[in-house]
Amino acid sequence: MKRFFLLSLALCISAVLVFAGGRPQSGGSTAAKSGPTLTVSMLGYTDTQMATWENTLRENRAIAQEKGITLVNDGLTGEGYYRIKNRQDAEKMFPDVNWEWVDWGWAETLDTKQRSMIAAGTPPTMLAGEGFFPAYAEAGMLQEVPAYVLQGLNKNFIYYGINGKPYGVAMKTSPFMLFYNKELMRKAGLDPNKPPTTWAEWKAMAKQITDAGKGTFWGGGIPSFPHLGGGLRATPFFRQNGTDFALNGRPNLNDPKLQETLQFIREMNAFFPPGLGNGTDEDPLWKAFQEDQTIAFAINGSWQETSCLNWGMDYGVAPLPIPSGGRAGNCLVGTVYCGVPVGIPQAETDIFWKFYKEIGLGENNIIYLQYENLMIPAQKYLDDQRYYQGKGKESLKISVYEMGASSFGGVAVFLKSHSEVWDILNNQVLARTTISNDPIARICSEAQSKIETLTR
Amino acid sequence: MKNQSKWFASPKGSRRWREARRAYFIWCPLIFYTSIWSLIPLLYGLYLGFTDYNGLGGKPVWVGLKNFETFFLISEFPILLLRQVLLGAATLAVNTVLSFGMALLLNVKSRLKGIYRTAIYVPAVAASTTTTAIWVALLNPLGDQGLNRIITSLGGNAIAWNYSALWMFFWIVIYNSWKNIGPAVILWLGGLQGIDPSLYEAAQVDGASFWQQVRYITIPGLKYITMYILLTGIIAAMQMFDTVMLISGGNPYGQTDVLMFRIYRDGFRNFNLGMAGAESLILGLATIVFAVGYFNLQQKGDTR
């Protein structure tokens, strides 16, 4: 009896310890269908999210009916509405497909999950990402995007690898633009309807505002956060000056034009309160700009306009100032590229691209344009002037201008150790430029040497 | 041999063997679990240190000592190890002294003793993400936020904490000490209560002052507790990364970065699993050297 008891106890402990891990969360329908299984993230809500939104929808509609009002998107966010509609339309268009709608978060969480699945030999049907998407492409992990998917799409939304082939298409993005607080400009004696158009004008205006503020409000400059948030915002200025962090996939830190741009970023940092433009946490800067309204100029994507409206700011939006002798240049931000990994069977690949082209990049995509002020890839929607009318659409007009004035993509891509190189650039080049007074040439040569050793 | 055959042959021996077999049977699942979830991943991680692998497509490619060469060729890496040791040593020193002092203060008869002990222990069980978020809010560089609000209201100038490596170093040490003081205090208290009170009575009779009692009775009486606290403290110091990640992020521009945080970034952000494996092996060896070195020092002291 004692032996039996001990044996049972040992087996129970084994079972609990080994199998205690929870089942992976699945968002698909429980009844298996005859078609293939597609695992899709970022484009549709999971079962749990659908249930939550359905409850929210019911409550919102009840409130709207009670108060006799009409809610935009039934009170749902544009992102939520887009994913709900995608899922509903996909399940109607492909009734035999087993859809696994998953939510793996964003940034590192998504990257880690996707890489784990690839390493385990069970890649999902699609890979999504922004800053880490190039790593997938350059590692040969992605299939080429079929030509028919690219028809009618603005080229800025297509991720081209270093070999020039298309590996991903983004469903939304935004260039950077200059947001400015008209009230602070008035207080400093500046014309609030004449934003700066050149670097020299911008620097002079920022100085005038900072001097007038006497520590209560500031002009603002170019953020140099010690992470990709800084690298993204600095990149347009390098490109305007005819340079970039990378040249043919190799670091380019000894370029005099690049160092000249870093000098400008350092000078503009003087118009932030110390620590605000280069802190680890971005939130204090955005709070200071949109809530406290103590910063006059901000560099952000088109979504900033909604925040300006919500906080009741008397704001303006303008294209980024350019250097004298320079040209328009920009960088995409908030870009969600989607691609299909190699090894996915042709049938699943075909279904995914058909779904993405006709549903994800079809009429549902307009939700981002209409309600979140984000650019979408289909040129026919981008050209439709109806979406640029009304209040709060200035940033969309600037986005269209920027996309026409220059050709740009995401941040510079490095052939080797892309993420580690960007770690060095964000921390030891950008942040060091604005935090320390070390000579820029020395900052750049030290970083160049480290990167060359790392990528040898 | 004779005894062994006796052991097997005798009824007592076979009972002993049956009991041993039962014991093995009971802790077998734990060994199995530890092997699957700890030992095999550890060995695989060490193997990865000799490879080039980013977790995307294909298998790890053997590159021998290349990652270790990179570690020693780029001066930044040994500096990260040195900084790990310095930051860890500073935290350990502050924590040990403060926790010992707290334990002496708490080793009194008081009705509120339980409340004080609980209060001291609470930071140890609070989630790091929550407590560091509060500290980060306190370290806001703006003049009307966090600690700067107090400083500016007293007539001082706001401090851009994140501009100064010294300040970030200071706050990391203070935060770590505050977070980890509780468990150390409990251990010290346990040791203090294990010292024979008659020794103190005898010392008082001989006219020893409070500090003399601490020096000649308390400290020697806590020798083994001290050894345990310092040894586990050394190991914890060499593994410190969450505080650095959440409070300074290694900033300003990498000046508070430590090797353990670098391993995390190389492994889970940059996906340079080979480099992360090599760094882990070096850090592990350094930890063993310090721990064994300290242990031997203690043993030599005992022998004298």
Side-chain angles (χ1 to χ4, degrees):
Chain A
M1 187 64 197
K2 194 174 168 185
R3 194 180 300 172
F4 176 74
F5 169 73
L6 289 170
L7 177 63
S8 308
L9 183 65
L11 285 171
C12 285
I13 291 170
S14 303
V16 165
L17 288 175
V18 175
F19 300 112
R23 276 188 186 161
Q25 203 177 23
S26 162
S29 169
T30 49
K33 296 173 183 167
S34 59
T37 300
L38 265 68
T39 306
V40 173
S41 64
M42 305 300 297
L43 291 167
Y45 268 0
T46 65
D47 286 349
T48 313
Q49 289 169 328
M50 289 296 282
T52 310
W53 279 113
E54 277 163 10
N55 288 336
T56 307
L57 204 63
R58 266 196 294 276
E59 286 168 13
N60 288 350
R61 283 178 178 163
I63 292 169
Q65 196 174 24
E66 191 187 308
K67 297 193 174 180
I69 55 175
T70 308
L71 290 171
V72 173
N73 289 339
D74 288 313
L76 305 175
T77 64
E79 177 80 44
Y81 201 42
Y82 173 72
R83 294 196 193 191
I84 291 168
K85 282 198 60 72
N86 278 352
R87 176 171 169 157
Q88 289 169 340
D89 293 346
E91 288 175 355
K92 242 185 261 171
M93 185 184 252
F94 303 98
D96 294 330
V97 167
N98 294 288
W99 291 99
E100 277 223 339
W101 304 101
V102 294
D103 183 357
W104 293 332
W106 183 236
E108 285 156 32
T109 326
L110 177 63
D111 194 11
T112 306
K113 181 67 183 184
Q114 290 178 151
R115 289 194 198 227
S116 305
M117 293 190 72
I118 292 167
T122 55
T125 309
M126 60 159 278
L127 296 175
E130 184 180 14
F132 48 90
F133 195 82
Y136 299 150
E138 301 322 317
M141 273 312 305
L142 295 168
Q143 299 184 35
E144 276 185 53
V145 181
Y148 82 92
V149 174
L150 304 178
Q151 279 170 12
L153 299 187
N154 184 295
K155 282 193 164 34
N156 286 305
F157 291 80
I158 302 165
Y159 178 78
Y160 291 97
I162 284 176
N163 59 8
K165 295 187 177 164
Y167 291 111
V169 181
M171 72 192 79
K172 56 171 176 165
T173 192
S174 172
F176 284 107
M177 53 201 74
L178 183 74
F179 292 87
Y180 54 96
N181 185 318
K182 290 185 176 180
E183 185 55 35
L184 293 181
M185 288 180 75
R186 273 189 212 103
K187 282 184 182 174
L190 292 165
D191 184 345
N193 295 314
K194 283 202 178 142
T197 56
T198 67
W199 285 10
E201 273 179 18
W202 187 18
K203 188 176 162 189
M205 286 187 186
K207 184 176 187 315
Q208 190 170 334
I209 294 170
T210 305
D211 290 344
K214 294 185 172 50
T216 58
F217 57 85
W218 301 71
I222 302 168
S224 51
F225 307 121
H227 49 70
L228 204 54
L232 279 163
R233 285 169 178 81
T235 293
F237 300 97
F238 294 120
R239 291 177 178 172
Q240 289 170 357
N241 211 13
T243 183
D244 206 340
F245 273 130
L247 193 64
N248 300 324
R250 305 289 308 164
N252 184 39
L253 295 173
N254 293 326
D255 182 352
K257 287 276 185 191
L258 186 135
Q259 294 181 10
E260 184 185 80
T261 312
L262 284 171
Q263 179 62 34
F264 175 65
I265 293 172
R266 173 179 273 179
E267 289 164 7
M268 290 301 291
N269 189 64
F271 310 124
F272 277 128
L276 192 67
N278 46 26
T280 317
D281 188 5
E282 286 186 35
D283 286 346
L285 172 57
W286 308 123
K287 183 177 178 291
F289 177 69
Q290 63 204 23
E291 292 175 43
D292 303 337
Q293 297 184 26
T294 52
I295 304 290
F297 296 114
I299 309 288
N300 220 346
S302 54
W303 62 82
Q304 183 66 56
E305 184 163 19
T306 311
S307 298
C308 291
L309 278 168
N310 288 342
W311 286 101
M313 191 195 297
D314 185 9
Y315 72 96
V317 194
L320 294 176
I322 58 174
S324 78
R327 57 174 195 242
N330 217 307
C331 179
L332 294 178
V333 62
T335 314
V336 183
Y337 291 111
C338 296
V340 175
V342 298
I344 297 297
Q346 195 59 48
E348 288 173 36
T349 303
D350 291 343
I351 292 171
F352 172 77
W353 284 122
K354 191 170 159 66
F355 150 72
Y356 193 43
K357 175 71 176 177
E358 294 182 23
I359 297 174
L361 302 181
E363 282 191 6
N364 288 351
N365 211 194
I366 298 171
I367 292 168
Y368 281 129
L369 186 63
Q370 229 173 345
Y371 301 113
E372 302 220 346
N373 274 7
L374 291 167
M375 304 301 283
I376 59 176
Q379 196 65 50
K380 64 181 179 187
Y381 301 131
L382 282 180
D383 292 342
D384 191 336
Q385 291 304 308
R386 287 178 297 166
Y387 301 116
Y388 304 96
Q389 309 308 316
K391 202 177 169 189
K393 295 298 173 190
E394 291 308 307
S395 58
L396 272 183
K397 293 174 192 163
I398 303 293
S399 295
V400 169
Y401 166 81
E402 288 279 1
M403 282 179 150
S406 60
S407 157
F408 50 87
V411 291
V413 175
F414 295 91
L415 286 172
K416 283 185 85 177
S417 306
H418 172 82
S419 303
E420 288 157 286
V421 172
W422 267 108
D423 203 20
I424 294 172
L425 294 175
N426 291 328
N427 256 302
Q428 294 175 37
V429 178
L430 264 181
R432 188 177 170 191
T433 295
T434 56
I435 291 176
S436 76
N437 290 319
D438 297 338
I440 287 175
R442 190 173 76 169
I443 292 173
C444 289
S445 73
E446 285 176 9
Q448 177 85 13
S449 167
K450 275 183 201 162
I451 294 170
E452 283 172 354
T453 308
L454 195 66
T455 56
R456 74 190 191 289
Chain B
M1 283 300 282
K2 203 174 169 185
N3 285 338
Q4 252 187 348
S5 62
K6 245 179 130 176
W7 189 77
F8 274 110
S10 72
K12 201 175 174 184
S14 69
R15 196 185 94 191
R16 208 182 289 165
W17 173 239
R18 278 202 310 274
E19 283 173 0
R21 202 173 54 192
R22 251 180 235 146
Y24 285 125
F25 206 53
I26 288 171
W27 59 259
C28 235
L30 184 62
I31 296 295
F32 180 64
Y33 175 84
T34 308
S35 299
I36 298 283
W37 299 111
S38 295
L39 185 62
I40 292 172
L42 173 71
L43 293 173
Y44 186 63
L46 296 178
Y47 158 71
L48 283 179
F50 297 90
T51 66
D52 186 7
Y53 187 51
N54 65 4
L56 288 177
K59 293 189 169 136
V61 173
W62 183 265
V63 294
L65 295 174
K66 186 182 171 205
N67 293 322
F68 297 91
E69 271 175 35
T70 304
F71 186 94
F72 291 104
L73 276 177
I74 300 180
S75 60
E76 186 186 341
F77 287 104
I79 290 173
L80 292 176
L81 178 60
L82 182 64
R83 215 178 275 131
Q84 181 93 45
V85 171
L86 287 175
L87 199 52
T91 305
L92 184 59
V94 169
N95 192 26
T96 304
V97 168
L98 280 180
S99 60
F100 181 65
M102 283 273 188
L104 286 177
L105 291 171
L106 285 175
N107 192 29
V108 293
K109 286 195 174 78
S110 163
R111 263 190 245 167
L112 298 177
K113 195 165 58 174
I115 294 174
Y116 294 141
R117 289 178 185 183
T118 306
I120 282 175
Y121 204 85
V122 164
V125 298
S128 290
T129 44
T130 314
T131 49
T132 51
I134 295 168
W135 281 67
V136 166
L138 287 173
L139 299 179
N140 192 310
L142 293 178
D144 59 347
Q145 307 277 334
L147 291 175
N148 276 324
R149 193 166 178 168
I150 301 171
I151 293 170
T152 50
S153 67
L154 294 172
N157 293 325
I159 300 174
W161 310 103
N162 60 318
Y163 271 32
S164 165
L166 206 57
W167 272 121
M168 295 317 293
F169 195 95
F170 173 78
W171 289 117
I172 289 169
V173 169
I174 294 298
Y175 172 84
N176 250 328
S177 303
W178 168 81
K179 185 113 180 29
N180 297 308
I181 204 170
V185 166
I186 299 300
L187 285 169
W188 288 125
L189 272 173
L192 285 170
Q193 280 157 19
I195 297 174
D196 185 355
S198 63
L199 294 173
Y200 291 107
E201 287 164 11
Q204 278 166 10
V205 163
D206 288 343
S209 69
F210 172 76
W211 292 112
Q212 283 174 320
Q213 289 174 48
V214 168
R215 190 177 161 194
Y216 294 110
I217 299 173
T218 309
I219 290 175
L222 291 173
K223 190 170 71 173
Y224 294 109
I225 298 280
T226 310
M227 188 169 148
Y228 175 78
I229 287 175
L230 287 180
L231 200 54
T232 52
I234 287 168
I235 294 168
M238 297 300 277
Q239 293 177 343
M240 174 170 56
F241 100 94
D242 53 345
T243 311
V244 172
M245 178 173 79
L246 296 169
I247 289 195
S248 73
N251 295 311
Y253 52 94
Q255 290 193 320
T256 56
D257 198 3
V258 293
L259 188 57
M260 193 64 210
F261 184 34
R262 181 65 198 236
I263 292 170
Y264 165 79
R265 295 201 311 278
D266 279 342
F268 299 108
R269 286 190 195 170
N270 303 330
F271 291 96
N272 187 345
L273 298 168
M275 198 64 209
E279 289 161 354
S280 302
L281 182 55
I282 292 170
L283 184 64
L285 287 173
T287 307
I288 290 170
V289 163
F290 283 117
V292 168
Y294 171 71
F295 187 77
N296 285 341
L297 208 64
Q298 275 295 320
Q299 296 290 85
K300 273 189 193 153
D302 280 349
T303 324
R304 279 197 219 113

